[in-house]
Amino acid sequence: MSIEVEEVSGVPTPPRARVDVRAGFERKRDYLEGFLSQAPVAEDAEGPGGALYEAVIAALKEIYDPEIPVNIYELGLVYNVEISDGHVIVTMTLTTPHCPVAESMPAEVEIRVGAVPGVGSAEVNLVWDPPWDPGKMSDEAKLELGML
């Protein structure tokens, strides 16, 4: 692809920007050099208790059910989190198949988990068996909702 520039009469063409390397110009070291080539977390940090696992759980705790003022993790909607080589699989459910966010919640989970540093890709498996019930909520969630 070639771009043609039409010269306007009477207007001088501006000079091209040039950097003379012989004039003592030294390119500054790229501050990202080496940063992107390193693994963001240690390899043994993928399982429960590891840094990446805890970061994924923290991301899940930032997603709230729109009808219940409790995050989806404490609500007991997240059944399992598997991490392998930076690929995260979240197995979760919703309070009911007729939940108003049944179409958008899995996508939000995938986006939020995928944004965690160290996660290469994220996948959400939405399951209905076993069905969710209030007994799956954490004590913190029950306390928040006045059920304790």
Side-chain angles (χ1 to χ4, degrees):
M1 182 170 130
S2 155
I3 298 175
E4 304 256 343
V5 178
E6 184 178 320
E7 287 194 32
V8 180
S9 62
V11 178
T13 305
R16 293 188 173 266
R18 278 185 269 157
V19 176
D20 188 359
V21 273
R22 295 171 289 159
F25 174 80
E26 181 181 327
R27 181 171 183 218
K28 299 289 183 192
R29 184 174 165 201
D30 190 350
Y31 71 94
L32 289 177
E33 184 179 314
F35 174 78
L36 298 175
S37 64
Q38 296 176 5
V41 293
E43 290 181 30
D44 61 347
E46 292 185 350
L52 183 56
Y53 182 85
E54 294 303 322
V56 168
I57 298 302
L60 292 171
K61 288 182 178 181
E62 293 178 357
I63 304 169
Y64 283 78
D65 185 285
E67 295 177 328
I68 306 170
V70 176
N71 68 64
I72 64 170
Y73 188 80
E74 299 296 339
L75 201 53
L77 297 177
V78 177
Y79 289 165
N80 192 25
V81 175
E82 296 176 44
I83 303 175
S84 176
D85 295 327
H87 178 72
V88 179
I89 301 172
V90 177
T91 303
M92 65 174 290
T93 192
L94 298 173
T95 53
T96 174
H98 304 292
C99 180
V101 292
E103 290 184 22
S104 62
M105 182 66 74
E108 182 178 357
V109 170
E110 189 173 313
I111 289 168
R112 295 270 190 115
V113 169
V116 172
V119 173
S121 61
E123 179 182 337
V124 176
N125 291 330
L126 190 60
V127 298
W128 303 109
D129 187 33
W132 180 85
D133 64 75
K136 292 184 176 23
M137 292 191 301
S138 70
D139 289 341
E140 291 85 4
K142 290 176 185 175
L143 186 63
E144 180 73 26
L145 296 173
M147 297 174 72
L148 279 183

